Amino acid sequence: MKMARECKWKVFGSVAASDGATGWFVVGRVAFVLGAPNAAKTAVLACLAWRWLHDGVAVGVLCVDEHTDDFVGRLAVMAGIPLDEVERRTSATLAKVQRSLGELPLRLYGPEWTVEAAAADLAQWIREHRIRRGALMADALQTITCDATLDV
């Protein structure tokens, strides 16, 4: 397969539809998750992040359409914390979320970050922690800002 020969590292996708299509997301390439509003695109990103985080891939998530706390909530549910408990966000639940997710190589960026700043921060963090692979996700493409838009 041509795509697999073009890169040193490959990251396996955890969504059956993408696995059947190519089997791999190619590191160093841009990939898009597209769909209609409310078509579960963020859920797909969360599933990919979950799989990659557990495979030792550092994941940065630039959350613009959804608050970073809500993205963490998605991961907390995947960690086995009941949704109603996650939504209440009690101090006991937050401690449980920290225990469940705190050691994962995850970086979260809110809407105040540009895509370039988030990418630079993630790259620096990956170097500092000697992680071999990383991925930056952005939700959603049409709402993120870049350095060029700040100059307008």
Side-chain angles (χ1 to χ4, degrees):
M1 178 174 176
K2 184 177 181 195
M3 285 184 3
R5 287 192 305 266
E6 291 179 354
C7 67
K8 182 176 178 182
W9 290 99
K10 297 170 280 183
V11 180
F12 191 76
S14 62
V15 177
S18 68
D19 291 347
T22 65
W24 298 92
F25 284 90
V26 180
V27 175
R29 304 286 178 163
V30 174
F32 297 92
V33 176
L34 304 171
N38 298 313
K41 297 176 296 294
T42 304
V44 169
L45 292 178
C47 289
L48 290 172
W50 182 254
R51 170 67 183 261
W52 294 345
L53 289 164
H54 286 88
D55 285 345
V57 177
V59 176
V61 185
L62 178 55
C63 298
V64 179
D65 280 359
E66 180 172 294
H67 194 276
T68 55
D69 289 350
D70 295 328
F71 196 86
V72 168
R74 291 173 184 269
L75 298 178
V77 169
M78 286 185 241
I81 302 171
L83 177 60
D84 63 326
E85 194 175 322
V86 169
E87 288 176 341
R88 283 195 301 272
R89 296 181 183 173
T90 65
S91 57
T93 300
L94 295 177
K96 194 183 292 187
V97 170
Q98 177 62 34
R99 283 191 305 275
S100 298
L101 306 178
E103 297 298 317
L104 295 175
L106 175 66
R107 301 283 287 173
L108 297 166
Y109 306 96
E112 69 279 4
W113 287 80
T114 64
V115 67
E116 293 93 346
D121 181 79
L122 179 63
Q124 179 64 33
W125 189 82
I126 287 170
R127 281 190 297 276
E128 290 171 359
H129 289 84
R130 300 175 189 243
I131 299 172
R132 297 182 71 180
R133 299 177 290 169
L136 178 64
M137 300 177 164
D139 185 22
L141 186 63
Q142 69 273 21
T143 55
I144 60 173
T145 57
C146 64
D147 290 341
T149 59
L150 297 178
D151 296 333
V152 181

